[in-house]
Amino acid sequence: MTKPRFDLIGLFAFLLLAFVMGVMLSESFEQPAAENAEKPSLSTLSELEHTAPAPRALDIQRWSTEQGLRVLFMPAPELPMLDVRLTFNAGSARDGEQPGLAMLTNGMLNEGTSTLDTTAIAAGFEDLGAQFGNGAYRDMAIASLRTLSAAEQREPALALFRQVVATPSFPADALARLKNQVLAGFEYDKQNPGKQANQAFFKALYGEHPYAHNSDGTPESISALTADHLRAFHQRAYSAGNAVLVMVGDISRSTAEQIAAELAAALPQGPALPALAQPSKPAPGSQHIEFPSQQTHLLIGELGVSRSDADYPAVYLGNQILGGGGFGTRLMEEVREKRGLTYGIYSGFSPMQARGPFMISVQTRANQSAGTLELIQQLLRDYVAEGPTQAELDAAKRELAGSYPLSNASNADILGQLAVIGFYDLPSDHLQRFMQQVQALSREEVRDALQRQLKVDDLLVVTLGPTVEQQPIPAPGSQTLPAPSSTPEH
């Protein structure tokens, strides 16, 4: 009979300890009344719905080296890390008559130097706890480094980074291996309907413009490329004057200036490449590619905007409502939720140096592809004509305001944002200015910008799938999505 008594004693001791700790905590955290009065408070959690998180302050510093290397630096002493990215105006748009040249050149950077092979390069970064990254796209090619900011790790990592990016040797055995991998990829792409449809859309949209060709090249162009071609391209397109250097991390301004000076001196010397020409507007029309599958890929679009276009904030916001914001967008609601025609449908503007594409992408049942296409075209026509509702506009603005702090939450996020700012020569306060512009837009301004940039009668349509007898699409609410298959279609 003694157990309940001990339980009561234990409970009393616990309550007494809790009371004492509560008093101590309240005293230790008590603040003067005047200070408390200045701090905002919440009465209910619902207030958070209309309160945007505070964005991280960005202390962006810019300068250029004597070799023409443009530099953006942001000190970030919170973590003992340094992120570095070189962005070159050396994407596939600079391939000329040799498609795949930019991709191969970038892919060969860490395959060897005059003194190191690819194994030694990988081991060198690994031993220092550093990470090297690279990639090539239509507009740009990048090389990046993440390292500890302490001098004993930072300096040898940067020395290796300089050697890899500035003086690659393009060894024959590594080039042969990489070319074989690319050629094997072309065979895989023949069974990839999404890749085929995307390539056909870019070719139809851009014609003879440099954006038209496949960034990976063709089997013929890849086979013809030699190490001498890559060396010449590297000398021309990886020059200090054709690059932007971004640094974010735990270093001082003087250290950043030293890093920039050493990189600029190590890179090939030369000016920035000339600006790309704007593409010509293609004639509207449709193209069908026969492909044995149960679904049809639909790509619908036209020329969109460049990075510097004054309409970009308005069409970006408008597209978030149309199909860029995932669930809850007009396209997702009408095509997926109400009619069960697809698992996902998306739209987007992709601003680049020259006018990038506006594209709507969807996969649907092959026997309902014609009706799905007609529905999407009508939805787009109505939206461009009328613009968003005020409720849609307000909701999109709240969502963007809430997600904006996440765009610069980490050093890696900031590095990517600054690389875009530097490469496209945007103002240092571009992120803040962009959000201010978006938040100030009215329904009429969004509608007018969409009408300037999107001409529904000028759409290009690419479909890829089987030719089958078409069935009418269902009325809203009468068809559900099928269970997803556990095995690939192809």
Side-chain angles (χ1 to χ4, degrees):
M1 297 296 295
T2 58
K3 189 174 187 302
R5 182 173 150 219
F6 288 137
D7 286 346
L8 289 174
I9 293 173
L11 177 60
F12 176 78
F14 172 79
L15 292 174
L16 178 61
L17 177 62
F19 173 78
V20 172
M21 290 298 295
V23 171
M24 292 173 63
L25 287 171
S26 66
E27 291 176 348
S28 63
F29 286 104
E30 186 176 353
Q31 301 292 332
E35 184 176 341
N36 284 337
E38 294 175 0
K39 292 185 176 181
S41 61
L42 291 174
S43 300
T44 65
L45 288 177
S46 63
E47 293 180 34
L48 289 173
E49 183 179 347
H50 305 288
T51 304
R56 181 177 178 180
L58 304 182
D59 175 20
I60 302 172
Q61 304 173 29
R62 301 175 83 148
W63 67 92
S64 294
T65 70
E66 63 182 39
Q67 297 87 352
L69 177 65
R70 291 172 289 154
V71 184
L72 286 82
F73 165 60
M74 196 192 94
E78 297 85 0
L79 293 172
M81 303 291 297
L82 173 64
D83 284 283
V84 176
R85 177 174 295 180
L86 276 167
T87 304
F88 299 92
N89 194 344
S92 64
R94 304 295 178 174
D95 281 346
E97 300 300 318
Q98 299 171 302
L101 177 60
M103 178 274 299
L104 274 184
T105 302
N106 186 269
M108 286 290 294
L109 290 180
N110 59 335
E111 291 291 343
T113 69
S114 59
T115 59
L116 300 172
D117 62 14
T118 184
T119 301
I121 291 171
F125 285 123
E126 184 177 354
D127 290 346
L128 293 165
Q131 297 175 350
F132 174 84
N134 57 323
Y137 312 94
R138 276 188 165 84
D139 263 354
M140 65 185 70
I142 64 171
S144 61
L145 172 71
R146 165 166 278 195
T147 178
L148 292 169
S149 57
E152 54 266 31
Q153 286 89 28
R154 182 191 74 232
E155 291 180 1
L158 282 165
L160 180 56
F161 180 70
R162 285 195 303 272
Q163 188 176 359
V164 166
V165 178
T167 59
S169 60
F170 305 107
D173 56 342
L175 179 57
R177 171 171 45 81
L178 182 56
K179 288 171 69 172
N180 285 335
Q181 292 173 359
V182 176
L183 293 171
F186 291 140
E187 293 301 314
Y188 173 79
D189 289 346
K190 293 178 181 179
Q191 303 302 316
N192 186 333
K195 190 75 176 281
Q196 288 194 44
N198 191 72
Q199 291 175 11
F201 180 82
F202 268 81
K203 180 61 179 174
L205 183 63
Y206 286 105
E208 299 303 318
H209 190 271
Y211 287 160
H213 71 260
N214 181 7
S215 297
D216 291 339
T218 66
E220 295 76 20
S221 67
I222 292 298
S223 297
L225 287 170
T226 68
D228 286 341
H229 293 134
L230 273 59
R231 290 189 188 97
F233 183 78
H234 181 270
Q235 186 68 26
R236 175 170 59 95
Y238 281 69
S239 68
N242 199 46
V244 176
L245 170 64
V246 176
M247 293 175 282
V248 178
D250 182 26
I251 58 174
S252 66
R253 169 65 182 257
S254 60
T255 300
E257 289 179 352
Q258 179 183 351
I259 293 170
E262 291 172 347
L263 272 170
L267 290 170
Q269 303 304 299
L273 297 181
L276 291 175
Q278 289 293 339
S280 301
K281 185 176 181 178
S286 61
Q287 173 187 357
H288 178 71
I289 302 170
E290 194 68 19
F291 193 88
S293 60
Q294 296 179 3
Q295 290 197 321
T296 293
H297 288 248
L298 297 174
L299 297 180
I300 308 151
E302 57 187 290
L303 288 177
V305 297
S306 66
R307 259 303 161 175
S308 58
D309 198 302
D311 276 338
Y312 179 52
V315 297
Y316 176 85
L317 179 61
N319 179 71
Q320 289 296 106
I321 298 165
L322 173 66
F327 286 97
T329 63
R330 284 200 181 189
L331 291 176
M332 194 73 89
E333 285 287 326
E334 294 293 335
V335 181
R336 174 190 161 117
E337 299 301 326
K338 291 184 179 180
R339 294 174 175 85
L341 293 169
T342 184
Y343 286 103
I345 178 170
Y346 309 96
S347 65
F349 287 87
S350 299
M352 299 194 286
Q353 291 184 88
R355 293 181 67 183
F358 165 76
M359 185 166 65
I360 299 173
S361 174
V362 65
Q363 299 176 50
T364 190
R365 295 175 177 89
N367 61 4
Q368 294 179 327
S369 57
T372 301
L373 174 60
E374 291 177 7
L375 172 64
I376 294 168
Q377 289 173 318
Q378 189 59 51
L379 291 169
L380 181 61
R381 189 182 305 276
D382 293 343
Y383 183 63
V384 171
E386 300 167 5
T389 66
Q390 190 61 49
E392 287 174 325
L393 193 72
D394 292 343
K397 287 182 179 181
R398 284 197 302 271
E399 182 177 350
L400 289 173
S403 63
Y404 166 58
L406 299 178
S407 68
N408 52 38
S410 70
N411 289 3
D413 293 329
I414 295 172
L415 188 79
Q417 297 283 5
L418 296 193
V420 169
I421 288 173
F423 184 81
Y424 292 108
D425 199 22
L426 301 171
S428 296
D429 63 347
H430 166 72
L431 294 176
Q432 301 93 314
R433 185 181 301 185
F434 182 81
M435 287 305 303
Q436 291 168 358
Q437 291 171 330
V438 165
Q439 295 299 323
L441 287 166
S442 67
R443 288 182 55 245
E444 293 75 19
E445 288 171 326
V446 172
R447 180 200 62 203
D448 293 347
L450 290 170
Q451 290 178 355
R452 282 192 296 271
Q453 299 297 339
L454 297 181
K455 308 297 180 185
V456 182
D457 293 334
D458 294 344
L459 289 173
L460 287 172
V461 178
V462 171
T463 61
L464 184 145
T467 299
V468 296
E469 184 177 351
Q470 293 295 297
Q471 298 180 1
I473 62 173
S478 62
Q479 176 172 283
T480 58
L481 288 165
S485 173
S486 60
T487 57
E489 274 189 19
H490 315 298

